[in-house]
Amino acid sequence: LLWLLFDIVINCLIGLTPFVDNFTHLGGMVYGLLCGLSTIERLSTDFFGIATTFWTRLRNLLIRFSGLILSVVLIMITTAVLVENDAGKSPCSSCRYVSCVPFPPWAGEDNKWWYCDDCSRITADAKLDSSGYYSLSMTCPDGAIEEIDLSDQLVTDRQWIRRQLPTYCRKYCDNLFA
């Protein structure tokens, strides 16, 4: 039992990294528990030397039956939620913090190993003149347009701007999630 709890904690910690969904781990654990509960076979009473009564057998049957019914109902509800869900949109906007945490927490905002926002998917149009890029029109994850003045920086490298887009997003966009 201790190793099982240790495994659950480790899987939840791994689920805090990006691209690993804690809801999948926890959902699998719940469904596995319910399916196991509904198909559990009791040991023979001869094994323990204890006679079973009608009420004990009825209770065991009700536990198995309720586990089976609850499993089927939850699978149908989860399927309905997934089918109705728009791609990329979550029915629970705050739930993203259960599945991803920017890490390490002690590092500065520009020195994280990974981020859990949508700034890696933004787009921008850069305006160029003879001295370099002077303006950036950035589309934030929520669709808002932000104008960024680059005239104080002498920027001539387009790839450098592309690498800086997530940093600009975190700095200038109000909503970092789509």
Side-chain angles (χ1 to χ4, degrees), residues 36-54:
L37 186 65
S38 65
T39 59
I40 193 169
E41 283 294 326
R42 294 282 181 194
L43 289 175
S44 160
T45 56
D46 297 337
F47 182 80
F48 292 109
I50 301 170
T52 57
T53 64
F54 169 76

Side-chain angles (χ1 to χ4, degrees), residues 38-102:
S38 65
T39 59
I40 193 169
E41 283 294 326
R42 294 282 181 194
L43 289 175
S44 160
T45 56
D46 297 337
F47 182 80
F48 292 109
I50 301 170
T52 57
T53 64
F54 169 76
W55 296 110
T56 306
R57 287 191 304 263
L58 181 65
R59 183 192 61 166
N60 292 342
L61 182 66
L62 286 175
I63 287 173
R64 290 177 69 179
F65 185 70
S66 63
L68 180 65
I69 295 298
L70 193 57
S71 295
V72 171
V73 167
L74 285 176
I75 288 172
M76 289 172 30
I77 289 172
T78 323
T79 303
V81 167
L82 289 173
V83 167
E84 291 294 320
N85 192 10
D86 292 335
K89 301 278 185 183
S90 173
C92 174
S93 60
S94 300
C95 292
R96 69 175 57 242
Y97 297 111
V98 176
S99 284
C100 185
V101 174

Side-chain angles (χ1 to χ4, degrees), residues 27 29 38 53 67 82 85 87 111-112 127-128 134 157 168 177:
M29 182 182 75
S38 65
T53 64
L82 289 173
N85 192 10
N111 296 322
K112 301 281 187 197
K127 296 178 183 147
L128 177 67
Y134 64 91
D157 185 10
Y168 287 145
F177 304 105

Side-chain angles (χ1 to χ4, degrees), residues 12 33 41 52 55 57 62 70 113 121 130 136 176:
C12 287
L33 175 73
E41 283 294 326
T52 57
W55 296 110
R57 287 191 304 263
L62 286 175
L70 193 57
W113 295 350
R121 296 188 269 162
S130 60
L136 190 66
L176 302 180

